[in-house]
Amino acid sequence: TLFAIEYAVFGQSPHINHTINIILYSLIILLLFLILKKCLIQYPFREMFAFVCCLLFLAHPIHTEVTDSIKSCDELLGLLLALLSTYLCVTYFEEKKIIYLLCAPLFLFLSIYAKLTSSVFVLIIPLVLVFFTKAGKKQILLFLLAGFVVLLIQSELKKILVTEKEIRILYHFENPLATENVTFFARLLFAVKTTGIYIKLLIFPYPLRFYYGPSMITSSVAMLDPDVILAVVFFGSAIYFCYKTKNKPAFFGLSFFLICIVPVTNLLKPVAGIVGERLAFNPSVGFIIFITSVIFHFCKNPPVKPSWNFFIKKPFVYVSVLLFIYLFYTWSRNSNWHDELTLFEHDAPFVEKSAGANNLIGNKFFENIENPKSKYPTQILVQKCWKHYNLAVEADSSVFSAYNNAGVIAYRFMNNPELAKTYFIRAIRGNYDFPQAHENLADCYGKTGNYKEAVKEYELSLLQNPKGYKAYISLTSLYFTLKNYGMGLNCLTRAVKEFPKSAELMIGQSTCYKLMGQPKPALKKLEEVYRMYPVKIIADSILAVSKILNDTQTYNRYHKLFY
């Protein structure tokens, strides 16, 4: 809806889309500051605490994806609306105004509708009430119940509204858990590893990548995997710290992080690409609150109001250095997101083992091959496509689309149909129900003179995709080469059933009739085309056929129209 409004008012303008993303990000930071200030009312340093949290949140490089990617507006809207709902719930217990109680579920509903990952706030909001308000057990239970009712309403309402109906199928190269049968323990261990990766990215976010995937994050996880150890050590240390210090904000931040991170760890459902920077957006709020709580615990007499002197004193001076590095890297990372090609080229050295990433990079270069404004000449783009498609299939042989696209490069731009043939065959082995690969393979067979196999592959392509217009044309052309006009006519007749208003196909039918020595049906077909498209070029064809038939009446009728 937001995109529709932006388009209606400003037209297609990425600058406007990015500006709105930045505004939404700014509002999130403002709301986070206000919520923390309200929640930490018993702490004299609450403003400074909220300020430090928001500064870390603002500067963190892992947030570049949600702000720089126009598509990730859904993540921004989801968190913004969820925080607004949280703010209204907390304010209700301060001011007891019923309007806050009525609006809070509405914003939670909109939040979940913007992005399903916001559904974690069904648990987060009661958690905030438990930690920072005087709400009783019954009230908290009612808020929890209300949250689940909102989630149920959203789920049911989505079924009757206009929405995407297709089921997202994950392939092995996107997430092996979607295709492999693994035990619950193996999935749990993998979830712990995924959590460790997120923790690593939240502490030391380098290098960031536009795509990760199973070739870089293997599903085969050992107990002593470094990421598993990191996750166990972090949570063990964090729980011990919270227990020993009785630090309420730290315990809240840790709980917040845990609730938000579980749905994106592949434990409940496989995630495309296994991890994603945008998926760490909500969890990062809890993580930053926890880290800030630890810092403030070791601060002696933190200032009541935001003070820059605080940033040059121990222990925060070390964090200030990290903050400066974060800001520098964020600025640099924003430049990488200038456009898809810039992003892909920058990240390419970091994703050489990722099948999904290399397939995407290859596709992007492919898009630019016939673009006259491309920054690279055609031959360079062909080499880049070839390199990245081959890196994709080396990383994961199930990336059938990369085989197909590499075959197209070999056939069209390297003029090597024999090499192309091997790639198309591999693509079909990976996914037999792949009409484009069958059609491409048929083109190769036709080019090398193996017409029997070419016909077979064209027919398979059309069986899988009866709407394959180009396949009908290519198969008909092949029948013409073989002088088998009857089969050509049969092919065109099938095509016309799928494309009843195609003048090209119907004229092809007329041509078949003429070549088969049947001028009468040829004339009838041409007149049928003329009724749909009354243009001179078709009238001329009618004149030519009617002259062969000595059909003076038809000849004169059409001759008068244009001569």
Coordinates of all heavy atoms in Angstrom, one line a residue, residues 94-161:
E94 N 0.5 4.4 32.2 CA 0.9 5.6 32.9 C -0.3 6.5 33.0 O -0.6 7.1 34.0 CB 2.0 6.4 32.1 CG 3.4 5.8 32.2 CD 4.4 6.6 31.5 OE1 4.0 7.6 30.8 OE2 5.6 6.3 31.5
E95 N -1.1 6.6 31.8 CA -2.2 7.6 31.8 C -3.6 7.1 31.8 O -4.5 7.8 31.9 CB -2.0 8.5 30.5 CG -0.6 9.1 30.4 CD -0.5 9.9 29.1 OE1 -1.5 10.3 28.5 OE2 0.7 10.2 28.8
K96 N -3.7 5.7 31.7 CA -5.0 5.0 31.8 C -6.0 5.6 30.8 O -7.2 5.5 31.1 CB -5.5 5.1 33.2 CG -4.6 4.5 34.3 CD -4.5 3.0 34.1 CE -3.6 2.5 35.2 NZ -3.4 1.0 35.1
K97 N -5.6 6.0 29.6 CA -6.5 6.5 28.6 C -6.9 5.3 27.7 O -6.0 4.7 27.1 CB -5.9 7.6 27.8 CG -5.8 8.9 28.6 CD -5.2 10.0 27.7 CE -5.1 11.3 28.5 NZ -4.5 12.4 27.7
I98 N -8.2 5.1 27.5 CA -8.7 4.0 26.7 C -8.3 4.0 25.3 O -8.1 3.0 24.6 CB -10.2 3.9 26.9 CG1 -10.7 2.5 26.4 CG2 -10.9 5.0 26.1 CD1 -10.3 1.4 27.4
I99 N -8.0 5.3 24.7 CA -7.6 5.4 23.3 C -6.3 4.7 23.0 O -6.2 4.1 22.0 CB -7.5 6.9 23.0 CG1 -7.2 7.1 21.5 CG2 -6.4 7.6 23.8 CD1 -8.4 6.7 20.6
Y100 N -5.4 4.6 24.0 CA -4.1 3.9 23.8 C -4.4 2.4 23.8 O -3.8 1.7 23.0 CB -3.2 4.2 25.0 CG -2.8 5.7 25.1 CD1 -2.8 6.3 26.3 CD2 -2.4 6.4 24.0 CE1 -2.4 7.6 26.5 CE2 -2.1 7.7 24.1 CZ -2.1 8.4 25.3 OH -1.7 9.7 25.4
L101 N -5.3 2.0 24.6 CA -5.7 0.5 24.6 C -6.3 0.1 23.3 O -6.2 -1.1 22.9 CB -6.6 0.3 25.8 CG -6.6 -1.1 26.4 CD1 -5.2 -1.6 26.8 CD2 -7.6 -1.2 27.5
L102 N -7.1 1.0 22.7 CA -7.8 0.7 21.4 C -6.8 0.7 20.2 O -6.9 -0.1 19.3 CB -8.9 1.6 21.2 CG -10.1 1.6 22.2 CD1 -11.1 2.7 22.0 CD2 -10.8 0.2 22.1
C103 N -5.9 1.7 20.3 CA -5.0 1.8 19.1 C -3.8 0.8 19.1 O -3.3 0.5 18.0 CB -4.4 3.3 19.1 SG -5.6 4.5 18.7
A104 N -3.4 0.4 20.3 CA -2.3 -0.5 20.3 C -2.5 -1.8 19.5 O -1.6 -2.2 18.7 CB -1.9 -0.9 21.8
P105 N -3.6 -2.5 19.6 CA -3.8 -3.7 18.8 C -3.9 -3.4 17.3 O -3.4 -4.2 16.5 CB -5.2 -4.3 19.3 CG -5.4 -3.7 20.6 CD -4.7 -2.3 20.6
L106 N -4.4 -2.2 17.0 CA -4.5 -1.9 15.6 C -3.1 -1.8 14.9 O -2.8 -2.3 13.9 CB -5.2 -0.5 15.4 CG -5.2 0.1 14.0 CD1 -6.0 -0.8 13.0 CD2 -5.9 1.5 14.0
F107 N -2.2 -1.1 15.7 CA -0.8 -0.9 15.1 C -0.1 -2.3 15.1 O 0.8 -2.5 14.3 CB -0.1 0.1 15.9 CG -0.5 1.5 15.6 CD1 -1.1 2.3 16.6 CD2 -0.3 2.0 14.4 CE1 -1.5 3.6 16.3 CE2 -0.7 3.3 14.0 CZ -1.3 4.1 15.0
L108 N -0.4 -3.1 16.1 CA 0.3 -4.4 16.1 C -0.2 -5.2 14.9 O 0.6 -5.9 14.2 CB -0.1 -5.2 17.4 CG 0.5 -6.6 17.5 CD1 2.0 -6.5 17.5 CD2 0.0 -7.3 18.8
F109 N -1.5 -5.1 14.6 CA -2.1 -5.8 13.4 C -1.4 -5.3 12.1 O -1.0 -6.1 11.3 CB -3.6 -5.5 13.3 CG -4.2 -6.0 12.0 CD1 -4.6 -7.3 11.8 CD2 -4.4 -5.0 11.0 CE1 -5.1 -7.7 10.6 CE2 -5.0 -5.4 9.8 CZ -5.3 -6.7 9.6
L110 N -1.3 -4.0 12.0 CA -0.6 -3.4 10.8 C 0.8 -3.9 10.7 O 1.4 -4.1 9.6 CB -0.8 -1.9 10.8 CG -2.2 -1.4 10.6 CD1 -2.2 0.1 10.9 CD2 -2.7 -1.7 9.3
S111 N 1.5 -3.9 11.9 CA 2.9 -4.3 11.9 C 3.0 -5.8 11.4 O 3.9 -6.0 10.6 CB 3.4 -4.3 13.4 OG 4.6 -4.9 13.5
I112 N 2.2 -6.7 11.9 CA 2.3 -8.1 11.4 C 1.9 -8.2 10.0 O 2.5 -9.0 9.2 CB 1.4 -9.0 12.3 CG1 1.9 -9.0 13.8 CG2 1.3 -10.4 11.8 CD1 0.9 -9.6 14.8
Y113 N 1.0 -7.4 9.5 CA 0.6 -7.4 8.1 C 1.7 -6.9 7.2 O 1.8 -7.3 6.1 CB -0.7 -6.6 7.9 CG -1.5 -7.1 6.8 CD1 -2.4 -8.2 6.9 CD2 -1.4 -6.6 5.5 CE1 -3.1 -8.7 5.9 CE2 -2.1 -7.1 4.4 CZ -3.0 -8.2 4.6 OH -3.7 -8.7 3.6
A114 N 2.5 -5.9 7.7 CA 3.6 -5.4 7.0 C 4.7 -6.5 6.8 O 5.3 -6.6 5.7 CB 4.2 -4.1 7.6
K115 N 5.0 -7.2 7.9 CA 6.0 -8.2 7.9 C 5.7 -9.2 9.0 O 5.6 -8.8 10.2 CB 7.4 -7.5 8.2 CG 8.5 -8.5 7.9 CD 8.7 -8.9 6.5 CE 9.9 -9.8 6.3 NZ 10.0 -10.2 4.9
L116 N 5.6 -10.5 8.6 CA 5.2 -11.5 9.6 C 6.2 -11.7 10.7 O 5.8 -12.1 11.8 CB 5.0 -12.8 8.8 CG 4.3 -13.9 9.6 CD1 3.0 -13.5 10.1 CD2 4.3 -15.2 8.8
T117 N 7.5 -11.3 10.5 CA 8.5 -11.4 11.6 C 8.1 -10.5 12.8 O 8.6 -10.8 13.9 CB 9.9 -11.0 11.1 OG1 9.8 -9.8 10.4 CG2 10.4 -12.1 10.2
S118 N 7.2 -9.5 12.6 CA 6.8 -8.7 13.7 C 5.9 -9.4 14.6 O 5.6 -8.8 15.7 CB 6.1 -7.4 13.1 OG 6.9 -6.7 12.3
S119 N 5.4 -10.6 14.3 CA 4.6 -11.3 15.2 C 5.2 -11.7 16.5 O 4.6 -12.0 17.5 CB 4.1 -12.6 14.5 OG 5.2 -13.4 14.1
V120 N 6.6 -11.6 16.6 CA 7.3 -11.8 17.9 C 6.8 -10.8 18.9 O 7.0 -11.0 20.1 CB 8.8 -11.7 17.7 CG1 9.3 -12.9 16.9 CG2 9.3 -10.4 17.1
F121 N 6.3 -9.6 18.5 CA 5.9 -8.6 19.4 C 4.6 -9.0 20.2 O 4.3 -8.4 21.2 CB 5.7 -7.3 18.7 CG 7.0 -6.5 18.6 CD1 7.9 -6.8 17.6 CD2 7.3 -5.5 19.6 CE1 9.1 -6.1 17.5 CE2 8.5 -4.9 19.5 CZ 9.4 -5.1 18.4
V122 N 4.0 -10.1 19.8 CA 2.9 -10.7 20.6 C 3.5 -11.1 21.9 O 2.8 -11.1 23.0 CB 2.3 -11.9 19.8 CG1 1.3 -12.7 20.7 CG2 1.5 -11.4 18.6
L123 N 4.7 -11.6 21.9 CA 5.4 -11.9 23.2 C 6.2 -10.8 23.8 O 6.4 -10.6 25.0 CB 6.4 -13.1 22.9 CG 5.7 -14.4 22.4 CD1 6.8 -15.4 22.1 CD2 4.7 -14.9 23.5
I124 N 6.8 -9.9 22.9 CA 7.7 -8.8 23.4 C 6.9 -7.8 24.2 O 7.4 -7.3 25.2 CB 8.3 -8.1 22.2 CG1 9.3 -9.0 21.4 CG2 9.0 -6.8 22.6 CD1 10.5 -9.4 22.2
I125 N 5.7 -7.5 23.7 CA 4.9 -6.4 24.5 C 4.6 -6.9 25.9 O 4.8 -6.1 26.9 CB 3.6 -6.1 23.7 CG1 4.0 -5.3 22.4 CG2 2.7 -5.2 24.5 CD1 2.9 -5.0 21.5
P126 N 4.1 -8.1 26.1 CA 3.9 -8.6 27.5 C 5.2 -8.6 28.3 O 5.2 -8.3 29.5 CB 3.3 -10.0 27.4 CG 2.7 -10.0 26.0 CD 3.5 -9.1 25.2
L127 N 6.3 -8.9 27.6 CA 7.6 -8.9 28.2 C 8.0 -7.5 28.7 O 8.5 -7.4 29.9 CB 8.7 -9.4 27.2 CG 10.1 -9.6 27.8 CD1 10.2 -10.9 28.6 CD2 11.1 -9.7 26.7
V128 N 7.7 -6.5 27.9 CA 8.0 -5.1 28.3 C 7.1 -4.8 29.6 O 7.6 -4.1 30.5 CB 7.6 -4.1 27.2 CG1 7.7 -2.7 27.6 CG2 8.6 -4.4 26.0
L129 N 5.9 -5.2 29.6 CA 5.0 -4.9 30.7 C 5.4 -5.6 32.0 O 5.4 -5.0 33.1 CB 3.5 -5.3 30.3 CG 2.9 -4.7 29.1 CD1 1.5 -5.2 28.9 CD2 2.9 -3.2 29.2
V130 N 5.9 -6.8 31.8 CA 6.4 -7.5 33.0 C 7.6 -6.8 33.6 O 7.7 -6.7 34.8 CB 6.8 -9.0 32.6 CG1 7.6 -9.6 33.7 CG2 5.6 -9.8 32.3
F131 N 8.5 -6.4 32.8 CA 9.8 -5.8 33.3 C 9.7 -4.3 33.7 O 10.3 -3.9 34.7 CB 10.9 -5.9 32.2 CG 11.6 -7.1 32.2 CD1 11.2 -8.2 31.4 CD2 12.8 -7.3 32.9 CE1 11.9 -9.4 31.4 CE2 13.5 -8.5 32.9 CZ 13.1 -9.5 32.1
F132 N 8.8 -3.6 33.1 CA 8.9 -2.1 33.3 C 7.6 -1.4 33.6 O 7.5 -0.2 33.6 CB 9.5 -1.5 32.0 CG 10.8 -2.0 31.6 CD1 11.0 -2.7 30.4 CD2 11.9 -1.8 32.4 CE1 12.2 -3.2 30.0 CE2 13.1 -2.3 32.0 CZ 13.3 -3.0 30.8
T133 N 6.5 -2.1 33.9 CA 5.3 -1.5 34.3 C 4.7 -2.2 35.6 O 5.3 -3.2 36.0 CB 4.2 -1.5 33.2 OG1 3.7 -2.9 33.1 CG2 4.7 -1.0 31.9
K134 N 3.7 -1.6 36.1 CA 3.1 -2.1 37.3 C 1.9 -3.0 36.9 O 1.0 -3.2 37.7 CB 2.6 -1.0 38.2 CG 3.8 -0.2 38.8 CD 3.4 0.9 39.7 CE 4.6 1.7 40.3 NZ 4.2 2.8 41.1
A135 N 1.8 -3.5 35.7 CA 0.7 -4.3 35.3 C 0.6 -5.6 36.1 O 1.7 -6.2 36.4 CB 0.9 -4.6 33.8
G136 N -0.6 -6.0 36.4 CA -0.8 -7.2 37.2 C -0.7 -8.5 36.3 O -0.7 -8.3 35.1
K137 N -0.7 -9.6 36.9 CA -0.6 -10.9 36.1 C -1.8 -11.0 35.2 O -1.6 -11.5 34.0 CB -0.5 -12.1 37.1 CG 0.8 -12.2 37.8 CD 0.8 -13.4 38.7 CE 2.1 -13.5 39.5 NZ 2.1 -14.6 40.5
K138 N -3.0 -10.7 35.7 CA -4.2 -10.8 34.8 C -4.1 -9.9 33.6 O -4.5 -10.3 32.5 CB -5.5 -10.6 35.6 CG -5.8 -11.7 36.6 CD -7.2 -11.4 37.3 CE -7.6 -12.5 38.2 NZ -8.8 -12.2 38.9
Q139 N -3.7 -8.7 33.9 CA -3.6 -7.7 32.8 C -2.5 -8.1 31.7 O -2.8 -8.0 30.5 CB -3.2 -6.3 33.3 CG -4.3 -5.7 34.2 CD -3.8 -4.4 34.8 OE1 -2.7 -4.4 35.5 NE2 -4.5 -3.3 34.7
I140 N -1.4 -8.7 32.2 CA -0.4 -9.1 31.3 C -0.9 -10.3 30.5 O -0.7 -10.4 29.2 CB 0.9 -9.5 32.0 CG1 1.6 -8.3 32.6 CG2 1.9 -10.3 31.1 CD1 2.6 -8.5 33.6
L141 N -1.7 -11.2 31.1 CA -2.2 -12.3 30.4 C -3.2 -11.9 29.4 O -3.3 -12.5 28.3 CB -2.9 -13.3 31.5 CG -3.3 -14.7 31.0 CD1 -2.1 -15.4 30.5 CD2 -4.1 -15.4 32.0
L142 N -4.0 -10.9 29.7 CA -5.0 -10.3 28.7 C -4.3 -9.7 27.5 O -4.7 -9.9 26.4 CB -5.9 -9.3 29.4 CG -7.0 -9.8 30.3 CD1 -7.7 -8.7 31.1 CD2 -8.0 -10.6 29.5
F143 N -3.2 -9.0 27.8 CA -2.4 -8.4 26.7 C -1.8 -9.5 25.8 O -1.8 -9.4 24.6 CB -1.3 -7.5 27.2 CG -1.7 -6.1 27.4 CD1 -2.3 -5.7 28.6 CD2 -1.5 -5.1 26.4 CE1 -2.7 -4.4 28.8 CE2 -1.9 -3.8 26.6 CZ -2.5 -3.4 27.8
L144 N -1.4 -10.6 26.4 CA -0.8 -11.7 25.7 C -1.9 -12.4 24.8 O -1.7 -12.7 23.6 CB -0.2 -12.7 26.7 CG 0.5 -14.0 26.1 CD1 1.7 -13.6 25.2 CD2 0.9 -15.0 27.1
L145 N -3.1 -12.6 25.4 CA -4.2 -13.1 24.7 C -4.6 -12.2 23.6 O -4.9 -12.7 22.5 CB -5.4 -13.4 25.7 CG -6.6 -14.0 25.1 CD1 -6.3 -15.4 24.6 CD2 -7.7 -14.1 26.2
A146 N -4.7 -10.9 23.8 CA -5.1 -10.0 22.8 C -4.1 -10.0 21.6 O -4.5 -10.0 20.4 CB -5.1 -8.5 23.3
G147 N -2.8 -10.2 21.9 CA -1.8 -10.3 20.8 C -2.1 -11.5 20.0 O -2.0 -11.4 18.7
F148 N -2.4 -12.7 20.6 CA -2.7 -13.9 19.8 C -3.9 -13.7 19.0 O -4.1 -14.3 17.9 CB -2.7 -15.1 20.7 CG -1.4 -15.6 21.1 CD1 -0.8 -15.5 22.3 CD2 -0.6 -16.3 20.1 CE1 0.4 -16.0 22.7 CE2 0.6 -16.8 20.4 CZ 1.2 -16.6 21.7
V149 N -4.9 -13.0 19.5 CA -6.2 -12.7 18.8 C -5.9 -11.9 17.5 O -6.4 -12.2 16.5 CB -7.2 -12.0 19.7 CG1 -8.4 -11.5 18.9 CG2 -7.7 -13.0 20.8
V150 N -5.0 -10.9 17.7 CA -4.6 -10.0 16.6 C -3.9 -10.9 15.5 O -4.2 -10.7 14.3 CB -3.7 -8.9 17.1 CG1 -3.0 -8.2 15.9 CG2 -4.5 -7.9 17.9
L151 N -3.1 -11.8 16.0 CA -2.3 -12.7 15.0 C -3.3 -13.6 14.3 O -3.2 -13.8 13.1 CB -1.3 -13.5 15.8 CG -0.3 -14.3 15.0 CD1 0.6 -13.4 14.1 CD2 0.6 -15.1 16.0
L152 N -4.3 -14.1 15.0 CA -5.3 -15.0 14.4 C -6.1 -14.2 13.4 O -6.4 -14.7 12.2 CB -6.2 -15.5 15.5 CG -7.3 -16.5 15.0 CD1 -6.7 -17.8 14.4 CD2 -8.2 -16.9 16.1
I153 N -6.6 -13.0 13.7 CA -7.4 -12.1 12.8 C -6.6 -11.8 11.5 O -7.1 -11.9 10.4 CB -7.8 -10.8 13.5 CG1 -8.8 -11.1 14.6 CG2 -8.4 -9.9 12.5 CD1 -9.1 -9.9 15.5
Q154 N -5.3 -11.5 11.7 CA -4.4 -11.2 10.6 C -4.3 -12.4 9.7 O -4.4 -12.2 8.4 CB -3.1 -10.7 11.1 CG -2.1 -10.2 10.0 CD -1.3 -11.3 9.3 OE1 -1.2 -12.4 9.9 NE2 -0.8 -11.1 8.1
S155 N -4.1 -13.5 10.3 CA -4.0 -14.8 9.5 C -5.2 -15.1 8.7 O -5.2 -15.5 7.5 CB -3.6 -15.9 10.4 OG -3.5 -17.1 9.7
E156 N -6.4 -14.9 9.3 CA -7.7 -15.3 8.7 C -8.0 -14.2 7.6 O -8.5 -14.5 6.5 CB -8.8 -15.4 9.7 CG -8.7 -16.6 10.6 CD -8.7 -17.9 9.9 OE1 -9.6 -18.1 9.0 OE2 -7.8 -18.7 10.1
L157 N -7.8 -12.9 7.9 CA -8.1 -11.9 7.0 C -7.3 -11.9 5.7 O -7.7 -11.6 4.6 CB -7.9 -10.5 7.7 CG -8.4 -9.3 6.9 CD1 -9.9 -9.4 6.7 CD2 -8.1 -8.0 7.7
K158 N -6.0 -12.4 5.9 CA -5.1 -12.5 4.7 C -5.7 -13.5 3.7 O -5.4 -13.3 2.5 CB -3.7 -12.9 5.2 CG -2.7 -12.8 4.2 CD -1.3 -13.1 4.8 CE -0.2 -12.9 3.7 NZ 1.1 -13.1 4.3
K159 N -6.4 -14.4 4.2 CA -7.0 -15.5 3.2 C -8.0 -14.9 2.3 O -8.2 -15.4 1.2 CB -7.6 -16.6 4.0 CG -6.6 -17.4 4.9 CD -7.3 -18.5 5.7 CE -6.3 -19.2 6.6 NZ -7.0 -20.2 7.5
I160 N -8.7 -13.8 2.7 CA -9.8 -13.3 1.9 C -9.4 -12.0 1.1 O -10.1 -11.5 0.3 CB -11.1 -13.0 2.7 CG1 -10.8 -12.0 3.8 CG2 -11.6 -14.3 3.3 CD1 -12.1 -11.5 4.5
L161 N -8.2 -11.5 1.4 CA -7.8 -10.3 0.7 C -6.9 -10.6 -0.4 O -6.4 -11.7 -0.5 CB -7.0 -9.3 1.7 CG -7.8 -8.7 2.9 CD1 -7.0 -7.8 3.7 CD2 -9.0 -8.0 2.3

